[in-house]
Amino acid sequence: MISNTLHADIDNWTLTTPAARSTRGVVASQHRVAARAGAAQLDAGGNAIDAIVATAYALNAVEPWMCGLGGAGFMVIWLAKEKRAVALDFQGTLPGGIRLEDYPVDPERPRTPMGFPGVIDNANIEGYRSITVPGAVAGLDHALSRFGSRSRREVMTPAIQLAERGLFVDWFTSLQIGVCARTLARDPVSAAIYLPGGHPATPESRLKIPRLAETLDDIAEGGAESFYRGALAEKIVADLQAGGSRISCDDFAAYEVFEYAPMAAEHRGYTLYTPGEVSGGLRQREMLAHTLKAMPTPPETPTAESWLAYAEALEACWRQHKIRNGVLAPTDGHTDGHTDGENGACTSSMSSVDAEGNMVALTYTLLNRFGSGVTLPSTGMLMNDSVSYFDPRPGYPTTMAGGKRINSSNMCPTVAVKADEARFSVGASGGNLIMPAVTQVAALMMDFDMSVETAVHHPRLDASFRGSIRVDPRFDPATLSRLGERFALEIAQQTVFPKLYACVSAVARDPLSGECTGLNDPTQPVGGGAAPAPFEIESLGDAGPVVRP
């Protein structure tokens, strides 16, 4: 049955987005300028790893609210010559000196995006005590040094140039700032940058993030060693401790990247590689297994029964996930009703492929939009709020503990391989929405032989064992009716904000023609794919006055 209607038919346009195509490789990102920074590495002779690292660093300057130096995440790499996949875990870690008493539960506050209790003063999602040791720089530096082909300086030059130029404010940027204005106002540095005059920055201006370009330049020179054990580490930790964080220099020095063989899931002749049980990968594997059992031989095109199989599979894997995380009892046959963190508010995902067939999926995040809301004064780094990944109550699998690493995430960067050739890479942003969106796009390509462009544009549903499922009204009436027989439905249009079906980035490569295709979700007005071309900062335009804190 239809239980309620949200955002149904409120925008009177059809959202589509163009795909980038090239036999020399492509990059897809939530910001097309960052994708161009990555594609420039391909144009200069670099590989897919060079491209993804350049894209990730460039996002610090053009999409700082989603990810950056103060964040953490996962990467999956397909190495074409070696015919093997590699996963990198560069998730954040809690301070060694963290104390549960710093996070007293407040039953009046809403749950965190991960479903854990809120605490007094939002200390686990806002401000200095919500910050974990960030893994992003370690992860990007590890990927580049192990599998890239260009120097750190070459790969990071576009990001440095963009940071020196400043963040160009369009209407979408103003929206991101406005949504988080209250959190940003709590931190004087962030408020000075993003709320000039006490109000969200207006379109046609440019925001200069103080010392961000210098910090990126320092990383280009000294890499992860300086960031975690050198002069940069000292500056970062001094700022953190001055703001009340318990993170120490020892915590930074102890940080390490985990490189390992990724989790594999077999589906209709494909092998899908993900970062495994600490990511959304286990739920993806479980969802595909349920789908295969319910739909052993798919029809030529998706039917109402196909979508019922997808919805039931998502419900089943999410129920198991909530049991594993301790937010649902094994004997509980109903949802916990949790719906927080489901508006696509966080994270950035990007994918790349080169002419040799190397392929990468990278997802990294500050967790919430603008993370903790804290910008460190000495480095210009916007910091995560990943303490909210942990339970503030004792005795649970994800309970806070000194030095503990994030061990449960929705991020699900995926590389799909068939006959020893990487065929497509897909990832998404959007909290609880990520795994359902990524897995549906992948399933449509594998079950129905859709192109990546068709699959990304296809209507999606969202299900996470919460008492109802959300469906796009673009589904045909027969599908809506069949789903309504089994579930309470929320009919919700796909919109720019809130993003109710995640924000997908994907690339694909045809092994016969060598043509590569890349695109970002049609709901992301600043996203896009990019084909190899030189990166020219002058061509980006420079409209509007510079707003300096």
Side-chain angles (χ1 to χ4, degrees):
M1 69 173 189
I2 299 176
S3 62
N4 55 5
T5 301
L6 298 172
H7 308 284
D9 301 322
I10 60 171
D11 287 347
N12 62 346
W13 57 65
T14 300
L15 299 173
T16 60
T17 190
R21 291 183 170 83
S22 171
T23 56
R24 299 168 59 206
V26 293
V27 180
S29 168
Q30 286 177 201
H31 202 292
R32 58 183 175 271
V33 172
R36 287 168 63 182
Q41 308 307 310
L42 302 177
D43 185 66
N47 63 22
I49 297 88
D50 301 317
I52 211 75
V53 173
T55 302
Y57 276 123
L59 287 169
N60 282 272
V62 295
E63 194 192 48
W65 49 85
M66 291 293 188
C67 63
L69 303 177
F74 296 106
M75 189 185 306
V76 178
I77 303 169
W78 175 256
L79 301 169
K81 288 183 179 178
E82 300 178 34
K83 300 187 186 305
R84 71 179 179 101
V86 174
L88 300 181
D89 175 332
F90 49 97
Q91 287 283 62
T93 58
L94 290 173
I98 199 165
R99 300 175 184 174
L100 277 178
E101 54 264 36
D102 288 341
Y103 306 91
V105 171
D106 183 350
E108 300 301 315
R109 293 193 179 273
R111 295 184 179 191
T112 72
M114 298 303 293
F116 302 131
V119 304
I120 290 174
D121 196 36
N122 282 340
N124 57 345
I125 61 172
E126 294 179 349
Y128 279 83
R129 288 200 172 170
S130 69
I131 299 169
T132 61
V133 177
V137 172
L140 298 177
D141 208 38
H142 183 98
L144 188 64
S145 62
R146 289 271 288 128
F147 307 111
S149 65
R150 308 197 78 210
S151 72
R152 192 187 305 116
R153 174 67 64 181
E154 290 171 321
V155 166
M156 293 187 67
T157 291
I160 296 167
Q161 292 175 333
L162 288 166
E164 290 172 339
R165 171 181 176 267
L167 172 64
F168 177 70
V169 179
D170 54 17
W171 68 267
F172 189 69
T173 303
S174 291
L175 170 64
Q176 306 308 307
I177 296 170
V179 168
C180 295
R182 185 195 62 79
T183 300
L184 293 169
R186 291 184 55 163
D187 180 66
V189 181
S190 293
I193 296 167
Y194 300 105
L195 304 172
H199 303 284
T202 55
E204 304 301 320
S205 61
R206 281 189 300 117
L207 302 180
K208 191 77 170 178
I209 302 175
R211 287 168 284 284
L212 178 60
E214 291 88 337
T215 300
L216 289 166
D217 189 73
D218 287 346
I219 294 169
E221 186 66 29
E225 184 62 28
S226 175
F227 189 90
Y228 291 93
R229 287 167 286 277
L232 261 178
E234 293 176 2
K235 287 200 290 186
I236 294 167
V237 171
D239 280 349
L240 288 169
Q241 292 184 349
S245 170
R246 295 189 184 277
I247 293 174
S248 68
C249 285
D250 287 343
D251 293 324
F252 260 67
Y255 188 82
E256 60 180 326
V257 177
F258 295 161
E259 178 186 323
Y260 55 97
M263 173 180 283
E266 305 296 330
H267 191 78
R268 306 200 196 278
Y270 288 84
T271 302
L272 278 73
Y273 293 104
T274 63
E277 295 187 12
V278 293
S279 73
L282 179 58
R283 275 165 284 165
Q284 181 187 88
R285 186 167 71 176
E286 292 172 342
M287 185 273 191
L288 292 172
H290 276 89
T291 299
L292 201 58
K293 186 175 180 180
M295 189 169 51
T297 303
E300 285 191 18
T301 58
T303 64
E305 293 301 318
S306 307
W307 286 104
L308 180 62
Y310 286 167
E312 290 181 332
L314 286 168
E315 287 284 278
C317 72
W318 266 98
R319 180 176 184 274
Q320 287 303 115
H321 173 70
K322 291 182 176 184
I323 291 170
R324 284 191 293 264
N325 270 10
V327 297
L328 193 69
T331 56
D332 198 341
H334 62 274
T335 177
D336 60 358
H338 172 58
T339 59
D340 295 332
E342 295 181 355
N343 65 354
C346 55
T347 309
S348 194
S349 194
M350 59 220 78
S351 292
S352 66
V353 59
D354 61 33
E356 302 302 316
N358 299 300
M359 193 174 284
V360 188
L362 164 63
T363 308
Y364 85 127
T365 185
L366 297 174
L367 191 52
N368 278 331
R369 182 186 283 107
F370 285 100
S372 61
V374 169
T375 300
L376 300 185
S378 298
T379 60
M381 290 169 49
L382 189 61
M383 300 303 293
N384 67 79
D385 64 325
S386 295
V387 167
S388 58
Y389 271 113
F390 300 90
D391 200 317
R393 302 167 299 176
Y396 288 88
T398 51
T399 294
M400 297 176 188
K404 193 170 187 176
R405 196 180 190 93
I406 296 168
N407 61 7
S408 179
S409 171
N410 290 307
M411 291 183 283
C412 196
T414 301
V415 174
V417 175
K418 188 175 185 179
D420 285 335
E421 296 268 9
R423 301 300 181 91
F424 64 86
S425 163
V426 59
S429 65
N432 287 350
L433 311 175
I434 292 174
M435 190 284 298
V438 168
T439 307
Q440 282 173 82
V441 170
L444 290 172
M445 296 179 71
M446 296 183 294
D447 290 343
F448 303 104
D449 199 30
M450 285 189 188
S451 69
V452 66
E453 192 171 11
T454 301
V456 169
H457 280 89
H458 199 284
R460 299 193 283 270
L461 57 81
D462 184 71
S464 58
F465 200 68
R466 61 178 184 268
S468 62
I469 69 168
R470 186 181 297 129
V471 293
D472 191 320
R474 293 181 297 152
F475 278 113
D476 62 273
T479 296
L480 294 174
S481 176
R482 185 71 179 99
L483 290 170
E485 294 172 9
R486 171 69 176 81
F487 301 103
L489 301 188
E490 306 166 35
I491 308 299
Q493 185 182 7
Q494 191 167 222
T495 56
V496 172
F497 180 84
K499 282 183 169 53
L500 299 175
Y501 301 96
C503 182
V504 172
S505 290
V507 300
R509 182 175 182 271
D510 184 331
L512 297 178
S513 68
E515 183 178 66
C516 304
T517 307
L519 73 163
N520 183 243
D521 203 88
T523 64
Q524 182 77 351
V526 297
F535 187 80
E536 298 176 353
I537 191 76
E538 296 82 5
S539 69
L540 301 178
D542 200 22
V546 180
V547 179
R548 299 179 186 276

